[in-house]
Amino acid sequence: MAKIELTRNPLIKNALKSRYPQLAVFVVMLAGYIFAILAGLIGTPVGSHNFSIVFVWIAWWAILILVAVPFFGRGWCAVCPIPLPGEWLQRGAILAPPDKKPKWLNLRVPKIFRNIWLQNISFLLLALFSSVLLTTPNITGIVLAAMLFAAIGLSTIFERRAFCRYLCPVGGFIGLYSQTAPIELRIKDKQICVTCDGKPCYNGSQAGYGCPWDVFPGGLTKNTYCGLCMECIRTCPHDNIAVNLRPFSADLAKPSTRMDEAFKAFIMLGSAMIYAGVLLGPWGAFKDAAYNVGTSAWFIYAVIFLAIIFVILPGFFTLGILKTKNTLPLKQRFASLATALIPLGLMFWVAFSLSFVLTNASYIIAALSDPLGLGWNLFGTANAAWQPMLTSVLAPAQTLALVGGLIWSARTAQKAANEAKVSSIPVIVYCFATTSIMLWLLL
Amino acid sequence: MQPTPSMDLPTSPNLMRFYFHLLLFVMAGLVVAFAPLPVPAIAPQERTFEIDAGQYAYSPSELKVNAGDTVNIQLVSTDVVHGLYVDGYDVSIEADPGQTRTLSFVADKPGSFRFRCNVTCSAMHPFMIGKLTVGRNNWLFRSFGLATLAVFGALISIKQKA
C-alpha cells in the first residue's frame, strides 16, 4: 500500500498549521480533566456514578485503546491536556511567539533518564494499585491531579515536555503502540533538513516553538517519540513536514534494539493477561488480593504481578530464542525479537477492554446527567438502568482481536527475525502460547 | 492527494499464489469458526445451585450445566444488597442481606457466559463476576482452532520463503 500525504489537502494542512483548532480542543480537554479531578475529590464515592471513574476509565479508555491508539497512534497526545498548564508556564505564553530567554531553569533531562524506564516504572506503580484506582473516585482524582502537578513541576525544571517524554505512565505505551498506527509525521526530503539553517523545527523560531518532544523531525524513523503536536509543521520554513497515511505497523519493519522498549512490550502484554484473569475472571480471592492494598495478600499479588512481567514472560521468551543461532548478542536478539509482541499486546488490550467497556458503557448515560452523583438529572438520563451492551458479539469480537493480533505478530516476528537473521518460529510459538492463555482467560 | 512511493507490495507471479493461499486459509478459518459440531445427547435435568454473594465475589463462582438443563440459582447475600445478571440470557435477580432469592431459567444456549452483580454493591462492583458454562464451551475450542490455523499459516509462509 502506498503512503498518502494527508497534508497535501489544504483543508487538513491549514487545520493543523493553525493553532486555534488545537487550542479549542485543548481547552475542552483541560476543562474536562479539571472537572474529573474535582468530581473525584468532591463527588460521590460510588465509582459507577462518578464522572471521574465513568468518563476516565470507561469513556476515555475506550476511545484511547479501541480507536485513538490503533488508528491515530499518538493522536491522544496531540490533544492531551496534562502538559498544557506546565507548558504555558514554561513559555510564559499560550499562543505568543517564544522568548529567546528561558523563563525557568530549562535544564536538559539527565542522560540516565532519557529512556522510557521511568515510564515503565510509573505505569507499573499505577498497575499494581489499579483495582483501587479504577474503582475509587478520590484516588482517581488524586492521581489525575498528581500527574498535572508533576507535569507543571517538571516544566519549570527541565526544558520541553519532560513529563510526556520520560514520565507519563500512559505516554509510554501509547508511544510503543503508535508504531502500529496507519498515520505518521515525517519529513518529505531529508536533504532539505540537512542544509536547513538553525533547524527551527527543533530550536524554535518566531513561527513557533522548538519540538516539545525533544525530537529532531529530520531524524524521525518511527512514531514512538513524536507527540503529533504539529509544532514542526508550523515552524518548518521549507514546508518539508508531512502527515502521511501509511500501512499499519510500518515502523515495526525495522525492529528496535532498546531494552526499555522491549520490556515495555512485556509489561503491557503481561498486564493485559493479569487484568483479564484478576478483574474479569471468576476468582474472588484474586480480586480480594488486588483490592486490599497493604495487606499480605496484596504483597503476594504484587510480587506475582512483577514476577510474571519481569521473570516468567521474558524468561520463557529468552529460553525460546536462546537456541536461535546467530552472531548477534542475546540481549540484542531479545530486544529486536520482542518487537513482535507489540501488535499482540495491543490486541490483548483491545480484547480485554472490549469486555470491560461494553459491560459498563451504560454508566456513561447516567453519569452524563448526574456527574457528581449528587442527585442531579441534567439531561433526564440519571436513572438510566445498567445494561451490558452487545454481549452476543463480545466473544467473537475478542477472538477476532486475539487471533488477528497473533497473525499480525507472526508477520512482525518474521520481519524482525529476517533483520536479526534468526528463525522466527520460537517467537511465533511464544505468541501462540500467550494468545491461548488470553483466549482461555477471556472466553 | 497523490500517492507517494509505495513500500512492501507483493509482486508478480507470487501474487496469485499469495491470494490463493490466503483464500484457502480464510475458508479453513470459516470452517473452524462455523462448522456444526455434534451435540452430545444428554437428557435435560433440573440443577440447583446455592450461591453466596459478598465482598465482590460469588461462591461458587463457576457453574457448569448441560444444554437444556433448567437452572435454579438461589442467591444468598451475605453482606449488602447484591444482584446476579447472566450475560447472554439477560435474566437477573437481586437479594437483600440475609435474604435468599431464586432465579430459574432454561440453559438453552450453549457456551460460556459471565454472570455479574447488577446492583452497585462496593468499589469492586464492576468486577464481581462469575462464570456459567452451558455444555461444551465450543467457542473457546473454535478460537484455539483459529489460533492454531494462524500459526500453521505463518509456518507455511516461512517454509515457502526459505
Coordinates of all heavy atoms in Angstrom, one line a residue, chain A residues 1-5 8 46 48-49 131 135 279-280 282-284 287-288 291-292 356 359 363 386-388 395-396 399 406-407 410 414-415 424-425 428 432 436 439 441-443, chain B residues 1-4 6-9 56-57 61-62 85 87-88 90 112 114 116 118 120 123-127 129-131 137 139-140 143-144 146-148 150-151 154-155 157-158 161:
Chain A
M1 N 0.8 -1.2 0.0 CA 0.0 0.0 0.0 C 0.9 1.3 0.0 O 1.9 1.3 0.7 CB -0.9 0.0 1.3 CG -1.9 1.1 1.3 SD -2.7 1.2 2.9 CE -2.8 2.9 3.2
A2 N 0.5 2.2 -0.8 CA 1.3 3.4 -0.9 C 1.0 4.3 0.3 O 0.0 4.2 1.0 CB 0.9 4.2 -2.2
K3 N 2.0 5.2 0.5 CA 1.7 6.2 1.6 C 0.9 7.4 0.9 O 1.1 7.7 -0.3 CB 3.0 6.8 2.0 CG 3.8 6.0 3.0 CD 5.0 6.7 3.5 CE 5.9 5.8 4.4 NZ 7.0 6.5 4.9
I4 N 0.0 7.9 1.7 CA -0.7 9.1 1.1 C -0.5 10.3 2.0 O -0.7 10.2 3.2 CB -2.2 8.8 1.1 CG1 -2.5 7.6 0.1 CG2 -3.1 10.0 0.7 CD1 -3.9 7.1 0.1
E5 N 0.0 11.4 1.4 CA 0.3 12.5 2.2 C -1.0 13.3 2.5 O -1.5 14.0 1.6 CB 1.3 13.4 1.5 CG 1.9 14.5 2.4 CD 2.6 15.6 1.7 OE1 3.3 15.3 0.7 OE2 2.5 16.8 2.1
R8 N -1.2 17.2 1.9 CA -1.4 17.8 0.6 C -2.8 18.5 0.5 O -3.0 19.4 -0.3 CB -1.3 16.8 -0.5 CG 0.1 16.5 -0.9 CD 0.1 15.4 -2.0 NE 1.4 14.9 -2.2 CZ 2.2 15.3 -3.2 NH1 1.8 16.2 -4.0 NH2 3.4 14.8 -3.3
V46 N -19.2 6.5 45.1 CA -19.6 5.3 44.3 C -19.1 5.5 42.9 O -19.6 6.3 42.1 CB -21.2 5.2 44.3 CG1 -21.6 4.0 43.5 CG2 -21.7 5.1 45.7
S48 N -19.2 3.9 40.0 CA -20.1 3.8 38.8 C -21.0 4.9 38.6 O -21.7 5.0 37.6 CB -20.8 2.5 38.9 OG -21.5 2.4 40.1
H49 N -21.1 5.9 39.6 CA -21.9 7.1 39.4 C -21.1 8.3 39.5 O -21.7 9.4 39.7 CB -23.0 7.1 40.5 CG -24.0 6.0 40.3 ND1 -23.8 4.7 40.8 CD2 -25.2 5.9 39.7 CE1 -24.8 4.0 40.5 NE2 -25.7 4.7 39.8
S131 N -6.7 -1.8 40.9 CA -8.1 -2.2 41.4 C -8.7 -1.1 42.2 O -9.9 -0.9 42.1 CB -8.0 -3.5 42.2 OG -7.6 -4.5 41.4
T135 N -11.6 2.0 40.6 CA -12.9 1.9 41.3 C -13.2 3.0 42.3 O -14.3 3.1 42.8 CB -13.1 0.5 41.9 OG1 -12.0 0.4 42.9 CG2 -13.1 -0.6 40.9
L279 N -9.4 -9.2 37.1 CA -10.6 -8.3 37.1 C -11.8 -8.9 36.4 O -12.9 -8.8 36.8 CB -10.2 -7.0 36.4 CG -9.2 -6.1 37.0 CD1 -8.9 -4.8 36.3 CD2 -9.5 -5.8 38.5
L280 N -11.5 -9.7 35.3 CA -12.7 -10.2 34.5 C -12.9 -11.7 34.8 O -13.9 -12.3 34.3 CB -12.4 -10.0 33.0 CG -12.2 -8.6 32.6 CD1 -12.1 -8.5 31.1 CD2 -13.4 -7.7 33.0
P282 N -13.5 -15.2 37.3 CA -14.4 -15.5 38.4 C -13.8 -15.8 39.7 O -14.5 -16.2 40.6 CB -15.1 -16.8 37.8 CG -14.0 -17.5 37.0 CD -13.1 -16.4 36.5
W283 N -12.5 -15.5 39.9 CA -11.8 -15.9 41.1 C -11.8 -14.7 42.1 O -11.0 -13.8 42.0 CB -10.4 -16.3 40.7 CG -10.4 -17.4 39.7 CD1 -10.8 -18.7 39.9 CD2 -10.0 -17.3 38.3 NE1 -10.7 -19.4 38.7 CE2 -10.2 -18.6 37.8 CE3 -9.5 -16.3 37.5 CZ2 -10.0 -18.8 36.4 CZ3 -9.3 -16.5 36.2 CH2 -9.5 -17.8 35.7
G284 N -12.6 -14.8 43.1 CA -12.8 -13.8 44.1 C -11.5 -13.5 44.9 O -11.2 -12.4 45.3
K287 N -9.3 -11.0 43.2 CA -9.8 -9.6 43.3 C -9.6 -9.1 44.7 O -9.2 -7.9 44.9 CB -11.3 -9.6 43.0 CG -11.6 -10.1 41.6 CD -13.2 -10.2 41.4 CE -13.6 -11.2 40.4 NZ -13.3 -10.8 39.0
D288 N -9.8 -9.9 45.7 CA -9.6 -9.5 47.1 C -8.2 -9.1 47.3 O -7.9 -8.0 47.9 CB -9.9 -10.8 48.0 CG -10.4 -10.4 49.3 OD1 -11.1 -9.4 49.4 OD2 -10.1 -11.1 50.3
Y291 N -7.3 -5.8 45.5 CA -8.0 -4.6 46.0 C -7.5 -4.1 47.4 O -7.4 -2.9 47.7 CB -9.5 -4.8 46.1 CG -10.3 -3.6 46.5 CD1 -10.4 -2.5 45.7 CD2 -10.8 -3.5 47.8 CE1 -11.1 -1.3 46.1 CE2 -11.5 -2.4 48.2 CZ -11.6 -1.3 47.3 OH -12.3 -0.1 47.7
N292 N -7.1 -5.1 48.2 CA -6.8 -4.8 49.6 C -5.3 -4.4 49.7 O -4.5 -5.1 50.3 CB -7.2 -5.9 50.6 CG -8.7 -6.0 50.7 OD1 -9.3 -5.0 51.1 ND2 -9.2 -7.2 50.3
F356 N -14.6 -5.1 29.2 CA -14.8 -4.1 30.3 C -15.7 -2.9 29.9 O -16.6 -2.5 30.6 CB -13.4 -3.6 30.7 CG -13.4 -2.6 31.8 CD1 -14.0 -2.8 33.0 CD2 -12.9 -1.3 31.5 CE1 -14.0 -1.8 34.0 CE2 -13.0 -0.3 32.5 CZ -13.5 -0.6 33.7
T359 N -19.5 -3.9 28.9 CA -20.3 -4.2 30.1 C -20.7 -2.9 30.8 O -21.8 -2.9 31.4 CB -19.5 -5.1 31.0 OG1 -19.1 -6.3 30.2 CG2 -20.3 -5.6 32.2
Y363 N -23.2 3.1 32.1 CA -23.0 4.0 33.2 C -22.8 5.4 32.7 O -23.0 6.4 33.3 CB -21.8 3.6 34.0 CG -22.0 2.4 34.9 CD1 -21.2 1.3 34.9 CD2 -23.2 2.4 35.8 CE1 -21.4 0.2 35.8 CE2 -23.4 1.3 36.6 CZ -22.5 0.2 36.6 OH -22.7 -0.9 37.4
W386 N -28.5 0.1 34.3 CA -27.3 -0.5 33.9 C -27.7 -1.7 32.9 O -28.6 -2.5 33.3 CB -26.5 -1.1 35.0 CG -25.4 -2.0 34.7 CD1 -24.1 -1.6 34.2 CD2 -25.4 -3.4 34.7 NE1 -23.4 -2.7 34.0 CE2 -24.1 -3.8 34.2 CE3 -26.4 -4.4 35.0 CZ2 -23.8 -5.2 34.1 CZ3 -26.0 -5.7 34.9 CH2 -24.8 -6.1 34.4
Q387 N -27.1 -1.8 31.8 CA -27.4 -2.8 30.9 C -26.1 -3.1 30.0 O -25.6 -2.2 29.3 CB -28.5 -2.4 29.9 CG -28.9 -3.4 28.9 CD -29.6 -4.6 29.5 OE1 -30.4 -4.5 30.4 NE2 -29.3 -5.8 29.0
P388 N -25.6 -4.3 30.1 CA -24.4 -4.7 29.3 C -24.8 -4.6 27.8 O -25.9 -4.8 27.4 CB -24.1 -6.1 29.6 CG -24.8 -6.4 30.9 CD -26.0 -5.5 30.9
A395 N -17.7 -12.2 22.5 CA -16.8 -13.4 22.4 C -16.2 -13.4 21.0 O -14.9 -13.5 20.8 CB -17.4 -14.7 22.8
P396 N -17.0 -13.4 19.9 CA -16.4 -13.4 18.6 C -15.5 -12.2 18.3 O -14.4 -12.4 17.7 CB -17.6 -13.3 17.6 CG -18.8 -13.9 18.4 CD -18.5 -13.5 19.8
T399 N -12.2 -12.9 20.0 CA -11.5 -13.9 19.2 C -10.8 -13.3 18.0 O -9.6 -13.5 17.7 CB -12.4 -15.1 18.8 OG1 -12.9 -15.7 19.9 CG2 -11.6 -16.1 18.0
L406 N -2.5 -12.3 16.8 CA -1.5 -13.4 16.6 C -0.9 -13.4 15.2 O 0.3 -13.5 15.0 CB -2.2 -14.7 17.0 CG -1.3 -16.0 16.8 CD1 -0.1 -16.0 17.7 CD2 -2.2 -17.2 17.0
I407 N -1.8 -13.3 14.2 CA -1.4 -13.2 12.8 C -0.5 -12.0 12.6 O 0.6 -12.2 12.0 CB -2.6 -13.2 11.9 CG1 -3.4 -14.5 12.0 CG2 -2.2 -13.0 10.4 CD1 -4.8 -14.4 11.3
A410 N 2.8 -12.7 14.2 CA 3.6 -13.7 13.4 C 4.3 -13.0 12.2 O 5.5 -13.3 12.0 CB 2.7 -14.8 13.0
Q414 N 8.3 -12.5 11.7 CA 9.1 -12.9 10.5 C 10.0 -11.8 10.1 O 11.2 -12.0 9.7 CB 8.2 -13.3 9.4 CG 7.5 -14.6 9.6 CD 6.5 -15.0 8.5 OE1 6.8 -14.7 7.4 NE2 5.4 -15.6 8.9
K415 N 9.5 -10.6 10.1 CA 10.3 -9.4 9.6 C 11.4 -9.2 10.6 O 12.6 -8.9 10.2 CB 9.4 -8.2 9.5 CG 8.5 -8.2 8.3 CD 7.6 -7.0 8.3 CE 6.5 -7.1 7.2 NZ 5.5 -6.1 7.3
S424 N 12.2 -17.3 13.2 CA 11.1 -16.6 13.9 C 10.2 -17.6 14.6 O 9.3 -17.2 15.3 CB 10.2 -15.8 12.9 OG 9.7 -16.7 11.9
I425 N 10.4 -18.9 14.4 CA 9.5 -19.9 14.9 C 9.3 -19.9 16.4 O 8.2 -19.9 16.9 CB 9.9 -21.3 14.4 CG1 9.7 -21.4 12.9 CG2 9.1 -22.4 15.1 CD1 10.2 -22.6 12.2
I428 N 7.0 -17.1 17.3 CA 5.6 -17.4 16.9 C 4.9 -18.4 17.8 O 3.8 -18.2 18.2 CB 5.6 -17.9 15.4 CG1 6.0 -16.8 14.4 CG2 4.2 -18.4 15.0 CD1 6.2 -17.2 13.0
F432 N 1.7 -17.7 20.2 CA 0.6 -18.7 20.2 C 0.3 -19.1 21.6 O -0.9 -19.1 22.0 CB 0.9 -19.9 19.3 CG -0.1 -21.0 19.4 CD1 -1.3 -20.9 18.8 CD2 0.2 -22.2 20.1 CE1 -2.3 -21.9 18.9 CE2 -0.8 -23.2 20.2 CZ -2.0 -23.0 19.6
S436 N -3.2 -18.3 23.5 CA -4.1 -19.3 24.0 C -4.5 -19.1 25.5 O -5.6 -19.3 25.8 CB -3.4 -20.7 23.9 OG -3.1 -21.0 22.6
L439 N -7.0 -16.3 25.4 CA -8.3 -16.8 25.0 C -9.0 -17.6 26.1 O -10.2 -17.4 26.4 CB -8.2 -17.8 23.8 CG -7.9 -17.2 22.4 CD1 -7.4 -18.2 21.5 CD2 -9.1 -16.5 21.9
L441 N -8.6 -17.1 29.3 CA -9.0 -16.2 30.4 C -10.2 -15.4 30.0 O -11.1 -15.2 30.9 CB -7.8 -15.2 30.6 CG -6.6 -15.8 31.4 CD1 -5.5 -14.7 31.4 CD2 -7.0 -16.1 32.8
L442 N -10.4 -15.1 28.8 CA -11.5 -14.2 28.4 C -12.7 -14.9 27.9 O -13.8 -14.4 28.0 CB -11.0 -13.2 27.3 CG -10.1 -12.1 27.7 CD1 -9.7 -11.3 26.4 CD2 -10.7 -11.2 28.7
L443 N -12.6 -16.1 27.4 CA -13.8 -16.8 26.8 C -14.4 -17.8 27.8 O -14.1 -18.8 27.9 CB -13.4 -17.4 25.5 CG -12.9 -16.5 24.4 CD1 -12.5 -17.2 23.1 CD2 -13.9 -15.4 24.1
Chain B
M1 N -5.0 14.4 -3.4 CA -3.9 13.8 -2.7 C -3.3 12.8 -3.6 O -4.0 12.0 -4.2 CB -4.4 13.0 -1.5 CG -4.7 14.0 -0.3 SD -5.3 13.1 1.1 CE -7.0 12.9 0.7
Q2 N -2.0 12.8 -3.7 CA -1.3 11.8 -4.6 C -0.5 10.8 -3.8 O 0.1 11.2 -2.8 CB -0.3 12.6 -5.5 CG -1.1 13.3 -6.6 CD -0.2 14.1 -7.4 OE1 1.1 14.1 -7.3 NE2 -0.7 14.9 -8.3
P3 N -0.5 9.6 -4.3 CA 0.3 8.6 -3.5 C 1.8 8.9 -3.6 O 2.3 9.2 -4.7 CB -0.1 7.2 -4.1 CG -1.0 7.5 -5.3 CD -1.2 9.0 -5.4
T4 N 2.5 8.7 -2.6 CA 4.0 8.8 -2.6 C 4.5 7.4 -2.8 O 3.8 6.4 -2.8 CB 4.5 9.4 -1.3 OG1 3.9 8.7 -0.2 CG2 4.2 10.9 -1.2
S6 N 5.6 3.6 -3.0 CA 5.0 2.6 -2.2 C 6.1 1.7 -1.5 O 7.2 1.9 -1.8 CB 4.2 1.7 -3.1 OG 4.9 0.7 -3.7
M7 N 5.6 0.9 -0.6 CA 6.5 0.0 0.1 C 5.9 -1.4 0.2 O 4.7 -1.5 0.4 CB 6.8 0.6 1.5 CG 5.6 1.0 2.2 SD 6.0 1.8 3.8 CE 6.7 0.5 4.7
D8 N 6.8 -2.4 0.2 CA 6.4 -3.7 0.6 C 5.2 -4.3 -0.2 O 4.3 -4.9 0.4 CB 6.1 -3.7 2.1 CG 6.3 -5.1 2.7 OD1 7.0 -5.9 2.1 OD2 5.8 -5.3 3.8
L9 N 5.1 -4.1 -1.5 CA 4.0 -4.6 -2.2 C 4.3 -6.0 -2.7 O 5.4 -6.3 -3.2 CB 3.7 -3.8 -3.5 CG 2.7 -2.6 -3.3 CD1 2.7 -1.8 -4.6 CD2 1.4 -3.1 -2.9
Y56 N -17.6 -8.5 46.7 CA -17.3 -8.6 45.2 C -16.9 -10.0 44.7 O -16.1 -10.1 43.8 CB -16.3 -7.5 44.8 CG -15.1 -7.3 45.8 CD1 -14.0 -8.1 45.8 CD2 -15.1 -6.2 46.6 CE1 -13.0 -7.9 46.7 CE2 -14.1 -5.9 47.5 CZ -13.0 -6.8 47.5 OH -12.0 -6.5 48.3
A57 N -17.5 -11.0 45.3 CA -17.3 -12.4 44.8 C -18.5 -13.3 45.0 O -19.2 -13.1 45.9 CB -16.0 -13.0 45.4
S61 N -18.2 -19.7 42.2 CA -18.1 -18.7 41.1 C -18.1 -19.3 39.7 O -18.2 -18.5 38.8 CB -16.9 -17.8 41.3 OG -15.7 -18.6 41.3
E62 N -18.0 -20.6 39.7 CA -18.1 -21.2 38.4 C -19.1 -22.3 38.4 O -19.1 -23.2 39.2 CB -16.7 -21.8 38.0 CG -15.7 -20.8 37.8 CD -14.3 -21.4 37.4 OE1 -14.1 -21.7 36.2 OE2 -13.5 -21.5 38.3
Y85 N -26.8 -11.1 37.3 CA -27.3 -10.9 36.0 C -26.5 -11.9 35.1 O -25.2 -12.0 35.2 CB -27.0 -9.5 35.5 CG -27.3 -9.2 34.0 CD1 -28.5 -8.8 33.6 CD2 -26.3 -9.4 33.1 CE1 -28.8 -8.6 32.2 CE2 -26.5 -9.2 31.8 CZ -27.7 -8.8 31.3 OH -27.9 -8.6 30.0
D87 N -25.1 -12.8 31.6 CA -24.9 -12.3 30.2 C -25.4 -13.3 29.2 O -25.4 -14.5 29.4 CB -23.3 -12.2 29.9 CG -22.7 -11.0 30.6 OD1 -23.4 -10.3 31.3 OD2 -21.5 -10.8 30.4
G88 N -25.9 -12.9 28.1 CA -26.4 -13.7 27.0 C -27.8 -14.2 27.3 O -28.6 -14.4 26.3
D90 N -29.8 -12.6 29.7 CA -30.5 -11.4 30.0 C -31.5 -11.6 31.1 O -32.7 -11.2 31.0 CB -31.1 -10.7 28.8 CG -31.4 -9.2 29.0 OD1 -30.8 -8.7 29.9 OD2 -32.3 -8.7 28.3
S112 N -20.1 -20.2 27.0 CA -19.6 -19.7 28.3 C -20.2 -18.3 28.5 O -20.1 -17.5 27.6 CB -18.1 -19.7 28.3 OG -17.6 -19.0 29.5
R114 N -20.6 -15.0 31.4 CA -20.3 -14.4 32.7 C -21.6 -14.1 33.4 O -22.6 -13.7 32.7 CB -19.5 -13.1 32.5 CG -18.1 -13.3 31.9 CD -17.2 -13.9 32.9 NE -15.8 -13.8 32.5 CZ -15.1 -14.7 31.8 NH1 -15.8 -15.8 31.3 NH2 -13.8 -14.6 31.5
R116 N -22.8 -11.5 36.6 CA -22.2 -10.4 37.3 C -23.2 -9.7 38.2 O -24.4 -9.8 37.9 CB -21.5 -9.5 36.3 CG -22.5 -9.0 35.2 CD -21.7 -8.1 34.2 NE -21.2 -8.9 33.1 CZ -19.9 -8.9 32.8 NH1 -19.0 -8.3 33.5 NH2 -19.4 -9.6 31.8
N118 N -25.5 -6.9 39.5 CA -26.2 -5.8 38.8 C -26.7 -4.8 39.7 O -27.6 -3.9 39.3 CB -27.3 -6.4 37.9 CG -28.4 -7.1 38.7 OD1 -28.1 -7.6 39.7 ND2 -29.6 -7.2 38.2
T120 N -25.1 -1.9 42.4 CA -23.9 -1.3 42.9 C -23.7 -1.6 44.3 O -24.5 -1.2 45.2 CB -23.9 0.2 42.7 OG1 -24.2 0.5 41.3 CG2 -22.6 0.9 43.1
A123 N -16.9 -0.9 45.9 CA -16.0 -0.3 45.0 C -15.7 -1.3 43.8 O -15.7 -0.9 42.7 CB -14.7 0.1 45.6
M124 N -15.5 -2.5 44.2 CA -15.1 -3.5 43.1 C -16.3 -4.1 42.4 O -16.2 -5.1 41.7 CB -14.3 -4.6 43.8 CG -12.9 -4.2 44.1 SD -11.9 -4.1 42.6 CE -11.4 -5.8 42.4
H125 N -17.5 -3.5 42.6 CA -18.7 -4.0 42.0 C -18.6 -4.3 40.5 O -19.0 -5.4 40.1 CB -19.9 -3.0 42.2 CG -21.0 -3.1 41.3 ND1 -21.9 -4.1 41.2 CD2 -21.3 -2.3 40.2 CE1 -22.7 -3.9 40.3 NE2 -22.4 -2.8 39.6
P126 N -18.0 -3.5 39.7 CA -17.9 -3.8 38.2 C -17.2 -5.1 38.0 O -17.3 -5.7 36.9 CB -17.2 -2.6 37.6 CG -17.2 -1.6 38.6 CD -17.3 -2.2 39.9
F127 N -16.4 -5.6 38.9 CA -15.6 -6.8 38.7 C -16.1 -8.0 39.5 O -15.4 -9.0 39.6 CB -14.1 -6.5 39.0 CG -13.6 -5.4 38.3 CD1 -13.2 -4.2 38.9 CD2 -13.5 -5.4 36.9 CE1 -12.7 -3.1 38.2 CE2 -13.1 -4.3 36.2 CZ -12.6 -3.2 36.8
I129 N -17.8 -10.9 39.4 CA -18.1 -11.7 38.2 C -18.0 -13.2 38.5 O -17.1 -13.7 39.2 CB -17.1 -11.3 37.0 CG1 -17.3 -9.9 36.6 CG2 -17.2 -12.3 35.9 CD1 -16.3 -9.4 35.7
G130 N -18.9 -14.0 37.9 CA -18.8 -15.5 37.9 C -18.9 -16.0 36.5 O -19.0 -15.2 35.6
K131 N -18.8 -17.3 36.4 CA -18.8 -17.9 35.0 C -19.8 -19.1 35.0 O -19.7 -20.0 35.8 CB -17.4 -18.3 34.7 CG -17.2 -18.7 33.3 CD -15.7 -19.0 33.1 CE -15.4 -19.6 31.7 NZ -13.9 -19.9 31.6
N137 N -17.8 -25.5 26.0 CA -17.5 -24.2 25.5 C -16.9 -24.2 24.1 O -15.7 -24.0 23.9 CB -16.6 -23.5 26.5 CG -16.4 -22.0 26.2 OD1 -16.9 -21.5 25.3 ND2 -15.5 -21.4 27.0
W139 N -17.0 -22.3 21.6 CA -16.4 -21.1 21.0 C -14.9 -21.0 21.4 O -14.1 -20.6 20.6 CB -17.1 -19.8 21.4 CG -16.5 -18.7 20.6 CD1 -15.8 -17.7 21.1 CD2 -16.5 -18.5 19.2 NE1 -15.3 -16.9 20.1 CE2 -15.8 -17.3 18.9 CE3 -17.1 -19.2 18.1 CZ2 -15.6 -16.8 17.6 CZ3 -16.9 -18.7 16.8 CH2 -16.2 -17.5 16.6
L140 N -14.6 -21.5 22.7 CA -13.2 -21.4 23.1 C -12.4 -22.4 22.2 O -11.3 -22.1 21.8 CB -13.1 -21.8 24.6 CG -11.7 -22.0 25.2 CD1 -11.0 -20.6 25.1 CD2 -11.7 -22.5 26.6
S143 N -11.9 -21.1 18.9 CA -10.9 -20.0 18.9 C -9.4 -20.6 19.0 O -8.5 -20.1 18.3 CB -11.1 -19.1 20.1 OG -12.4 -18.5 20.0
F144 N -9.3 -21.6 19.8 CA -8.0 -22.3 19.8 C -7.7 -22.8 18.4 O -6.5 -22.8 17.9 CB -8.0 -23.5 20.7 CG -7.9 -23.1 22.2 CD1 -8.5 -23.9 23.2 CD2 -7.2 -22.0 22.6 CE1 -8.5 -23.6 24.5 CE2 -7.1 -21.7 24.0 CZ -7.7 -22.4 24.9
L146 N -8.7 -21.6 15.5 CA -8.3 -20.5 14.7 C -6.9 -20.0 14.9 O -6.2 -19.7 14.0 CB -9.3 -19.3 14.9 CG -10.7 -19.5 14.3 CD1 -11.7 -18.4 14.8 CD2 -10.7 -19.6 12.8
A147 N -6.5 -20.0 16.2 CA -5.2 -19.6 16.6 C -4.2 -20.6 16.0 O -3.1 -20.2 15.5 CB -5.0 -19.5 18.1
T148 N -4.5 -21.9 16.1 CA -3.6 -22.9 15.5 C -3.5 -22.8 14.0 O -2.4 -22.9 13.5 CB -4.2 -24.3 15.9 OG1 -4.4 -24.4 17.3 CG2 -3.2 -25.4 15.5
A150 N -3.8 -20.1 12.4 CA -3.0 -18.9 12.1 C -1.5 -19.2 12.2 O -0.7 -18.8 11.3 CB -3.3 -17.8 13.1
V151 N -1.1 -20.0 13.2 CA 0.3 -20.3 13.4 C 0.7 -21.2 12.2 O 1.8 -21.1 11.7 CB 0.5 -21.0 14.7 CG1 1.9 -21.6 14.8 CG2 0.3 -20.0 15.8
A154 N 1.4 -19.2 9.3 CA 2.7 -18.5 9.4 C 3.9 -19.4 9.1 O 4.8 -19.0 8.5 CB 2.8 -17.9 10.8
L155 N 3.8 -20.6 9.7 CA 4.9 -21.6 9.5 C 5.0 -22.0 8.0 O 6.1 -22.1 7.5 CB 4.7 -22.8 10.3 CG 4.7 -22.6 11.8 CD1 4.5 -23.9 12.6 CD2 6.0 -21.9 12.3
S157 N 4.2 -20.1 5.5 CA 4.8 -18.9 4.8 C 6.3 -18.8 5.0 O 7.0 -18.5 4.1 CB 4.0 -17.7 5.4 OG 4.9 -16.6 5.4
I158 N 6.7 -19.2 6.2 CA 8.2 -19.2 6.5 C 8.9 -20.2 5.6 O 9.9 -20.0 5.0 CB 8.5 -19.5 8.0 CG1 8.0 -18.3 8.8 CG2 10.0 -19.7 8.2 CD1 7.9 -18.6 10.3
K161 N 9.2 -19.1 2.1 CA 10.2 -18.1 1.9 C 11.6 -18.6 2.0 O 12.6 -18.1 1.4 CB 10.0 -16.9 2.9 CG 8.9 -16.0 2.4 CD 8.7 -14.9 3.4 CE 7.5 -14.1 3.0 NZ 7.0 -13.2 4.1

